[in-house]
Amino acid sequence: MNFLSPLYAAAALAIAVPILLHLVRRQPKNRLAFSSLLFLSETPPRLTRNSRIENWFLLLLRSLLLLMIAFAFARPYWSEAVNTTASSAAGKRKCILIDQSASMQRDGVWKNAIGQAREVIQSALPTDTIAVYGFDSQLHSVLPLSQARSLPIGKRSSSALSAIDSLNPSWSPSDLGTAIVTCLDTLQVDSADNEETHSGHAEIIIISDLTIGCDVRALEQGEWPEDTSVQLIRAVPSKPGNASFVLLDPTDPTNESGEYRVRVSNARDSVPESFQLRWLNKDGNGIQETSVECTVPRGSYRIVKCSPPPEAASGIELIGDDCPFDNRRFLVMDPPSPSMIGIVEEDGLPPEESLAYFLERIPLDTAYRKVQLQRYKPGSDWLSEQSKSPAWIILSHAATLRDADQCRSVLQAGGYVTLVMDRPANSPHRDGGTLGDQLKKITSRCTEVEIGAVSERKVREFDFLQRLEFGHPILAPLANSQFNDFSKVRFWRHRMIEGWEFSDWRVLAWFSENHPAILERDAQKGKFSVMTFGWQPVESQLALSSKFVPLIAGFYAQAQPDTGARREWIAGSDRAPKPGIYSDPQDSDESRKVAANIDPRESLTDPLDPSELTRYGVPLASDQPSEQITNQRERVLVAAELEARQAWWWWLVSACLIAVGLESLLCWSRSATAPSLSLAKE
């Protein structure tokens, strides 16, 4: 039994009044004097146990009357008398989403999240439908909404509490947006399937550390339903802050020393600012000799250079952070693979006229590859002399049709060939005719597509590149604002090609007056490109500019893409449930190893501003204390409805009237039988 106004039940203490009245011995009102007692001295009575109850039934009746009056004002009701169908319609649908991503591995966060979830469940109304889900990169059903709806009211809270006890944090990244959108779809399906019984309003309660690493981009889809709100509950760690690091890609062609660059970041609320980086051996122990100290102020980052990893190194570790969940990143590196660039050019050319002279000075070697530049004599059998076909062949003005035939074999094998028109088109060729005629024949022989005449364009002073297609892989390294301005790179002369527009050529860069500068097309199983200019100083300023290295790196990346010698998976999947080193299941002998690390976004632990969600139209509910007050009011309303329906107070008041009648009748009967003193006086 429960009471709508329990304070009125304290009036039951008034039961002590009739008990005290029955225990007090009342003195007679009338005194009669007897003559025989006039000469006797008065003696005070001895103290004896004369306070005793004479009428138990009357005392019980009066006490029961007071108790019933007190209980009637307290307005009792029985909670077990709730009708299941009606109560289900009165409750809310609550979906509790508990973050299971890698950042929840921080000390104290998961314990705090589970405690918050328990408070939400315990403060819910008995009629609420409580569903429990976990989420990281996707939404996981623990107690689905359809199952929670079918539970009896008395078991809903206990089932939800058991569901959250089965959850554990994972190592996957957090996709909060996808979790919310998927939960919305579930609510809409439930509304359609239970249109007659659901209350309409639904609430999504998100319990998470709510960091800036949460992915919320999925919230851009569609509009938010009016009958659904979101409540955010932030789970906090036992210690604030976090320091993290990212191993930058060592394939930068300007990195000649082989050093590894590591970006170390420190959160705004971190306490430590001094850290160490060191490599790990194959057993996962730190190699102290490789330690590098660094100081990173809170709320900033620093680029730290580390020595190349020792042989059999398994990863790198950050020392000095109070939050160690992301302080190790594992690493698996293949030995650098050899690769070759072949250039068909005459020997003995002065540097200002040679293409190979400037190619030799470009550092194309990376941690993944070792690139060798090989010169071939024009017209020789250079392809048969190689055990492996070069990844990229460059044909200069001295190339012959014999070289073009060998390039066809390179293209057939999926290679890449570039024809550089690095001399005036009206110059004589060693095989007879003009250079323009020879370049036309070489292009047609390699691509099996006829082009128009190749002629020299008359440039007054200089020309420059324009309308570059930075979205193409060749020019992608130049898309950065540091390199994409070609207005200061002058070209003294270049060639014109007629008839290219009638075939499948793709123009990557132009000169003025719509003359192509760089063209590319598919040729057999490979690709063939044409540069209508040379990069030597006699042709242009390109080889001496800052644009030359990334341009050649783009060409080489198109010819020989990196196959990913640094093999890495994102931890949290079925193949790599947690960070570490795993065997690649695609490898037949399982000797190929792959490193699994947490998503770098999980290390971004600065708090997420709730306005990021409202920007997508997400209606956020009030904070947690206000929600508890709202639930308390709803419970009072439900209790008032139950009390009004059961009307126990009416039965208690009726019983009180009966008790008053009995008490009056009993008192009247006693007074009627009491002896009268009026006759004695007479």
Side-chain angles (χ1 to χ4, degrees):
M1 177 178 286
N2 296 313
F3 297 96
L4 191 63
S5 303
L7 290 180
Y8 282 103
L13 297 176
I15 194 176
V17 175
I19 296 176
L20 292 176
L21 292 177
H22 276 257
L23 291 176
V24 173
R25 178 75 64 178
R26 293 189 295 176
Q27 298 294 329
K29 294 181 179 180
N30 299 326
R31 298 177 65 88
L32 293 178
F34 290 90
S35 57
S36 59
L37 299 177
L38 294 176
F39 301 102
L40 297 178
S41 59
E42 184 175 358
T43 302
R46 292 181 299 175
L47 295 176
T48 60
R49 188 181 179 186
N50 55 3
S51 297
R52 61 186 180 184
I53 297 175
E54 296 180 350
N55 195 327
W56 282 98
F57 181 72
L58 184 61
L59 173 62
L60 180 63
L61 192 62
R62 289 172 175 173
S63 300
L64 184 61
L65 176 64
L66 292 177
L67 287 175
M68 288 189 294
I69 293 175
F71 275 88
F73 277 93
R75 302 174 68 182
Y77 65 94
W78 293 97
S79 58
E80 290 78 5
V82 180
N83 182 270
T84 304
T85 304
S87 301
S88 298
K92 288 183 179 180
R93 294 174 298 162
K94 295 190 175 184
C95 295
I96 302 177
L97 274 59
I98 302 178
D99 191 355
Q100 295 178 268
S101 62
S103 61
M104 300 293 288
Q105 298 274 359
R106 291 182 291 163
D107 292 341
V109 177
W110 184 252
K111 181 179 180 181
N112 185 261
I114 296 300
Q116 299 271 22
R118 287 183 171 277
E119 292 181 9
V120 169
I121 294 172
Q122 292 169 355
S123 64
L125 293 174
T127 56
D128 288 340
T129 302
I130 307 173
V132 179
Y133 297 89
F135 74 93
D136 38 40
S137 58
Q138 57 186 344
L139 191 67
H140 307 284
S141 297
V142 184
L143 180 60
L145 187 60
S146 58
Q147 180 181 346
R149 177 181 289 278
S150 63
L151 292 173
I153 289 181
K155 293 185 178 181
R156 291 183 177 179
S157 293
S158 59
S159 298
L161 291 173
S162 300
I164 64 174
D165 289 339
S166 65
L167 289 172
N168 288 297
S170 69
W171 292 97
S172 298
S174 173
D175 193 343
L176 178 59
T178 298
I180 294 176
V181 171
T182 306
C183 186
L184 280 178
D185 294 340
T186 303
L187 287 170
Q188 292 177 357
V189 171
D190 179 76
S191 299
D193 294 343
N194 304 276
E195 187 174 357
E196 297 181 356
T197 57
H198 79 82
S199 62
H201 184 73
E203 187 174 18
I204 300 176
I205 303 171
I206 300 171
I207 302 177
S208 167
D209 54 355
L210 294 173
T211 64
I212 59 176
C214 294
D215 191 354
V216 296
R217 293 173 295 178
L219 295 175
E220 297 175 353
Q221 307 173 5
E223 297 182 358
W224 193 270
E226 296 180 356
D227 60 348
T228 305
S229 61
V230 173
Q231 180 184 357
L232 299 179
I233 300 178
R234 192 183 301 274
V236 296
S238 56
K239 292 183 179 180
N242 180 47
S244 61
F245 68 98
V246 176
L247 188 62
L248 301 180
D249 194 347
T251 59
D252 183 0
T254 62
N255 184 14
E256 301 183 48
S257 62
E259 294 179 330
Y260 275 64
R261 296 180 303 148
V262 181
R263 184 179 64 213
V264 183
S265 304
N266 203 8
R268 293 195 300 264
D269 54 351
S270 292
V271 175
E273 295 183 342
S274 298
F275 308 98
Q276 285 185 348
L277 285 167
R278 65 182 183 183
W279 291 102
L280 302 174
N281 59 23
K282 62 180 181 180
D283 298 325
N285 300 320
I287 305 175
Q288 193 61 35
E289 309 85 64
T290 63
S291 296
V292 177
E293 295 184 357
C294 60
T295 300
V296 184
R298 61 190 67 176
S300 62
Y301 72 91
R302 294 289 185 270
I303 302 297
V304 181
K305 292 184 178 181
C306 298
S307 59
E311 187 176 356
S314 63
I316 191 169
E317 181 181 29
L318 182 69
I319 304 296
D321 183 21
D322 289 339
C323 192
F325 83 104
D326 60 344
N327 286 355
R328 285 192 170 195
R329 298 197 72 85
F330 295 93
L331 183 68
V332 173
M333 295 288 296
D334 281 336
S337 59
S339 183
M340 183 180 297
I341 299 176
I343 181 168
V344 179
E345 188 181 49
E346 298 171 334
D347 293 332
L349 294 177
E352 65 272 11
E353 298 180 8
S354 173
L355 296 174
Y357 176 82
F358 295 95
L359 278 180
E360 292 171 342
R361 282 152 180 79
I362 295 180
L364 293 175
D365 292 348
T366 67
Y368 298 165
R369 66 187 180 220
K370 292 292 184 181
V371 182
Q372 178 184 2
L373 180 64
Q374 184 71 38
R375 293 195 189 201
Y376 300 134
K377 184 178 180 181
S380 63
D381 294 329
W382 46 265
L383 185 59
S384 61
E385 298 173 358
Q386 304 295 327
S387 59
K388 183 179 180 181
S389 176
W392 185 22
I393 294 294
I394 301 174
L395 301 177
S396 70
H397 69 281
T400 65
L401 294 180
R402 186 181 183 86
D403 298 318
D405 291 336
Q406 295 178 86
C407 287
R408 284 172 57 88
S409 300
V410 173
L411 293 170
Q412 185 64 32
Y416 197 91
V417 177
T418 299
L419 175 62
V420 182
M421 301 181 178
D422 62 327
R423 288 290 189 276
N426 51 13
S427 302
H429 191 267
R430 54 182 292 182
D431 291 343
T434 63
L435 180 59
D437 296 335
Q438 187 72 8
L439 296 177
K440 175 183 176 181
K441 294 177 183 178
I442 291 175
T443 303
S444 301
R445 186 73 64 90
C446 291
T447 62
E448 299 181 350
V449 174
E450 294 291 334
I451 64 172
V454 178
S455 58
E456 189 72 13
R457 185 186 177 212
K458 294 182 179 180
V459 180
R460 292 184 180 180
E461 294 184 7
F462 59 86
D463 207 340
F464 54 88
L465 295 180
Q466 52 188 300
R467 295 159 54 192
L468 288 88
E469 190 175 339
F470 292 111
H472 192 276
I474 290 178
L475 299 180
L478 295 163
N480 190 289
S481 58
Q482 181 181 358
F483 303 110
N484 61 10
D485 183 11
F486 277 80
S487 60
K488 296 181 180 179
V489 181
R490 299 180 178 183
F491 292 80
W492 315 121
R493 57 195 185 194
H494 65 85
R495 276 84 262 167
M496 298 184 299
I497 301 178
E498 299 177 4
W500 62 268
E501 62 270 20
F502 301 109
S503 55
D504 297 330
W505 291 96
R506 183 177 183 181
V507 181
L508 309 183
W510 300 80
F511 285 118
S512 59
E513 299 182 4
N514 291 330
H515 290 292
I518 303 176
L519 304 91
E520 186 189 55
R521 63 163 293 130
D522 294 334
Q524 303 186 49
K525 295 181 181 180
K527 290 183 180 297
F528 184 86
S529 60
V530 175
M531 301 173 68
T532 61
F533 58 88
W535 57 68
Q536 322 94 305
V538 295
E539 288 275 315
S540 67
Q541 295 178 335
L542 180 60
L544 303 178
S545 70
S546 61
K547 323 293 192 246
F548 184 57
V549 172
L551 178 64
I552 297 301
F555 268 100
Y556 184 80
Q558 180 77 336
Q560 183 70 43
D562 276 318
T563 57
R566 175 181 164 187
R567 300 188 298 273
E568 186 174 16
W569 292 338
I570 297 298
S573 61
D574 293 337
R575 62 183 182 180
K578 63 180 182 179
I581 296 179
Y582 296 84
S583 298
D584 190 349
Q586 297 181 352
D587 193 25
S588 58
D589 60 356
E590 297 186 355
S591 61
R592 181 180 172 90
K593 302 297 182 180
V594 182
N597 293 301
I598 67 171
D599 194 305
R601 294 177 301 169
E602 290 300 299
S603 298
L604 305 177
T605 58
D606 287 333
L608 176 70
D609 190 346
S611 63
E612 288 294 319
L613 298 182
T614 58
R615 215 165 39 88
Y616 295 103
V618 178
L620 297 181
S622 305
D623 54 2
Q624 190 178 2
S626 299
E627 175 67 17
Q628 291 179 349
I629 294 174
T630 301
N631 288 343
Q632 180 65 26
R633 291 175 179 174
E634 292 180 357
R635 282 195 294 270
V636 171
L637 292 176
V638 172
E641 181 182 355
L642 292 174
E643 190 274 337
R645 188 186 308 122
Q646 297 169 13
W648 281 101
W649 66 271
W650 189 89
W651 296 101
L652 289 172
V653 170
S654 300
C656 288
L657 294 177
I658 295 174
V660 169
L662 290 175
E663 192 267 349
S664 300
L665 183 62
L666 184 62
C667 291
W668 176 80
S669 63
R670 289 193 61 193
S671 61
T673 58
S676 177
L677 298 178
S678 57
L679 295 176
K681 289 181 180 180
E682 295 176 358

